[in-house]
Amino acid sequence: MRTQVVIVGGGPSGLLLGQLLHKAGIETVVLERKSRAYVLGRIRAGVLERGLVGLMREAGVDARMTAEGYVHDGTLIAYDGDMFRVDFTKHTDATVLVYGQTEVTRDLYAARDDIGAKTHFEVENVVIEDADSDHPFVAFREGGVDQRIDCDFVAGCDGFHGVSRKTIPADVRREYEKVYPFGWLGILSETPPVNDELIYANSDRGFALCSMRNANLSRYYIQCDASDNADNWSDEAFWTELRKRIPASVADSLVTGPSIEKSIAPLRSFVTEPMRWGRLFLCGDAAHIVPPTGAKGLNTAASDVHYLYQGLRQFYAEGDAAGLDAYSAQALARVWKTERFSWWFSNLMHHAPGQSDFDKKMQLAELAFLRDSPEAQASFALNYVGLPY
Ligand code: APR
Ligand code: PHB
């Protein structure tokens, strides 16, 4: 087999890149380790920056998100019994769209079906070969048969646990990591959201977040021990703890119900440099991870996809490799800024084990500054709606 770009990983990064490249007349093949059903069974965050919404529109895959997504022009931050709102449109010309990432992935798969592009599911033993040559190829096993795809380029969109990052030699890679000493216990419930905007809460019992997917599908999180297990939490225990972490006025209107999903996510900041090695380009979680506090996971993958799409389009249309040569530095410049915001917001809103009284005072002072300062809120808003590409 031969194609122009092999995309390793059929998550949102790989699918969005494939859709954009198709619009530019560039052929792709996607190799996905899991089944489509498994990929679409993943529950992920649900806040889309303006940049990602724009890319979905550019890819022609924005119809459902426009019809079903919720435009949010602000968010609420609760602390110390108080709650204030950051108005995005007061400080930026942008809003965010609340639309589940699972739905983004579903829409992208449907769009890939419509263009008849090739996706290999449940592949095994993917190996990226000769990435540092002009003739890379990808070997893999499908249905017990060894296969090979020769290509011009490989896009490593296979997430944190994929093979792409590790294809870059260890003596070439530089990795940066911070593992947070707590996790997020999240539930999905078929109940009306407690508020029409998100509520991020820093309580003296720990962090909580009230989010949603639609008018009858709510998503809630509470900070838990990094070693905790979702099985340790009955629904009732979760609801009781959540009520204690949000303002009483909000807790009084909370509608509870059985969880239809309950899981714990670890919190990690991670970046690998460079994001390119020869004809291999890393995109999304394959290159970087953020704690979910700022909802930046898919949104940072989106800017990678934008830069790589533009570089590949320029190469094939004009024979100019300048965009590809600039990719790693350009992508990393924005990655590090979103890593910083996610790290800052995580430290502001969580209570780390053993946190000193002084550190708690610093959090309260920063939250009071954010509440009272238009300039601080402008900085928050600009980061939350998404830094420019
Ligand atoms: N071969 C083929 N596919 C692989 C391999 C492999 N060796 N390893 C992993 N994969 C697949 C996974 O099964 C997954 O479907 O790559 C895909 C990677 O998808 P994500 O982990 O979702 O990463 P990405 O597409 O970069 O998405 C970035 O979006 O999913 C949200 O918030 C999430 O931060 C994440 C963001
Ligand atoms: C979610 O709805 O899952 C969500 C929203 C905002 C975040 C994180 C997760 O910051």
Side-chain angles (χ1 to χ4, degrees):
M1 283 182 275
R2 180 176 227 295
T3 191
Q4 290 174 297
V5 181
V6 172
I7 298 174
V8 183
S13 295
L15 294 170
L16 179 55
L17 178 64
Q19 207 61 28
L20 289 164
L21 291 176
H22 170 77
K23 279 180 68 73
I26 299 166
E27 185 190 75
T28 64
V29 171
V30 168
L31 301 180
E32 167 52 52
R33 178 165 65 179
K34 297 293 188 182
S35 68
R36 181 192 290 218
Y38 185 97
V39 174
L40 292 175
R42 293 180 181 132
I43 301 295
R44 294 284 175 72
V47 174
L48 311 186
E49 290 177 356
R50 55 181 163 179
L52 173 52
V53 173
L55 282 178
M56 290 289 281
R57 188 172 300 122
E58 185 174 1
V61 193
D62 63 315
R64 196 161 74 99
M65 70 169 25
T66 303
E68 298 178 16
Y70 292 73
V71 175
H72 280 206
D73 56 14
T75 192
L76 293 160
I77 296 176
Y79 78 102
D80 202 19
D82 190 4
M83 190 157 75
F84 64 94
R85 181 170 185 267
V86 178
D87 181 340
F88 305 144
T89 54
K90 190 175 172 186
H91 305 287
T92 75
D93 58 354
T95 55
V96 295
L97 190 73
V98 173
Y99 185 68
Q101 286 178 19
T102 306
E103 303 316 310
V104 169
T105 308
R106 194 187 315 280
D107 294 345
L108 286 165
Y109 266 123
R112 190 165 179 87
D113 292 344
D114 291 346
I115 64 176
K118 186 65 184 153
T119 304
H120 296 260
F121 290 102
E122 298 182 283
V123 300
E124 299 172 299
N125 305 350
V126 172
V127 179
I128 300 164
E129 300 281 12
D130 296 345
D132 57 340
S133 79
D134 288 343
H135 307 286
F137 66 94
V138 181
F140 64 100
R141 198 168 173 77
E142 184 178 29
V145 179
D146 288 332
Q147 310 266 7
R148 165 180 171 143
I149 306 180
D150 291 275
C151 55
D152 300 331
F153 299 100
V154 181
C157 302
D158 49 349
F160 185 68
H161 302 290
V163 297
S164 298
R165 182 175 69 252
K166 297 160 194 163
T167 300
I168 301 178
D171 61 354
V172 173
R173 266 183 288 140
R174 294 178 303 281
E175 298 188 348
Y176 306 84
E177 184 172 47
K178 175 183 176 63
V179 178
Y180 297 80
F182 39 77
W184 277 20
L185 169 63
I187 71 165
L188 207 53
S189 62
E190 289 173 328
T191 54
V194 73
N195 190 289
D196 59 1
E197 289 185 327
L198 273 61
I199 302 175
Y200 291 86
N202 173 333
S203 82
D204 57 11
R205 299 175 68 90
F207 172 79
L209 171 60
C210 303
S211 184
M212 75 284 293
R213 293 290 177 272
N214 60 48
N216 198 45
L217 193 58
S218 297
R219 182 67 166 165
Y220 295 102
Y221 300 93
I222 57 174
Q223 173 187 340
C224 63
D225 292 340
S227 59
D228 207 341
N229 186 307
D231 295 338
N232 296 338
W233 289 82
S234 67
D235 288 357
E236 196 46 48
F238 180 92
W239 294 124
T240 300
E241 187 60 33
L242 176 66
R243 283 198 184 89
K244 292 176 182 174
R245 298 191 186 188
I246 56 181
S249 60
V250 177
D252 290 346
S253 55
L254 180 68
V255 176
T256 64
S259 59
I260 59 173
E261 194 272 347
K262 190 188 297 176
S263 57
I264 289 182
L267 272 67
R268 177 201 313 269
S269 298
F270 176 89
V271 179
T272 193
E273 294 184 349
M275 288 176 57
R276 175 201 187 171
W277 187 58
R279 291 193 170 224
L280 168 62
F281 295 85
L282 304 186
C283 256
D285 277 16
H288 42 73
I289 295 286
V290 284
T293 320
K296 293 301 175 195
L298 180 54
N299 290 304
T300 308
S303 47
D304 296 346
V305 167
H306 166 77
Y307 298 131
L308 183 53
Y309 159 57
Q310 292 298 338
L312 288 167
R313 190 183 55 74
Q314 182 185 41
F315 175 84
Y316 281 108
E318 304 159 26
D320 183 350
L324 292 176
D325 292 341
Y327 170 74
S328 183
Q330 194 172 26
L332 282 166
R334 189 176 189 274
V335 163
W336 279 114
K337 291 174 185 169
T338 59
E339 289 283 346
R340 183 212 64 84
F341 175 71
S342 303
W343 161 84
W344 168 81
F345 198 23
S346 298
N347 285 324
L348 180 64
M349 299 304 289
H350 293 80
H351 285 200
Q355 184 181 45
S356 70
D357 289 345
F358 180 82
D359 289 343
K360 285 177 188 165
K361 279 294 190 183
M362 288 298 98
Q363 280 186 339
L364 293 175
E366 177 127 34
L367 283 161
F369 177 65
L370 183 59
R371 180 194 63 202
D372 301 338
S373 162
E375 293 78 9
Q377 292 196 12
S379 173
F380 181 95
L382 183 59
N383 279 281
Y384 197 90
V385 300
L387 299 175
Y389 285 179

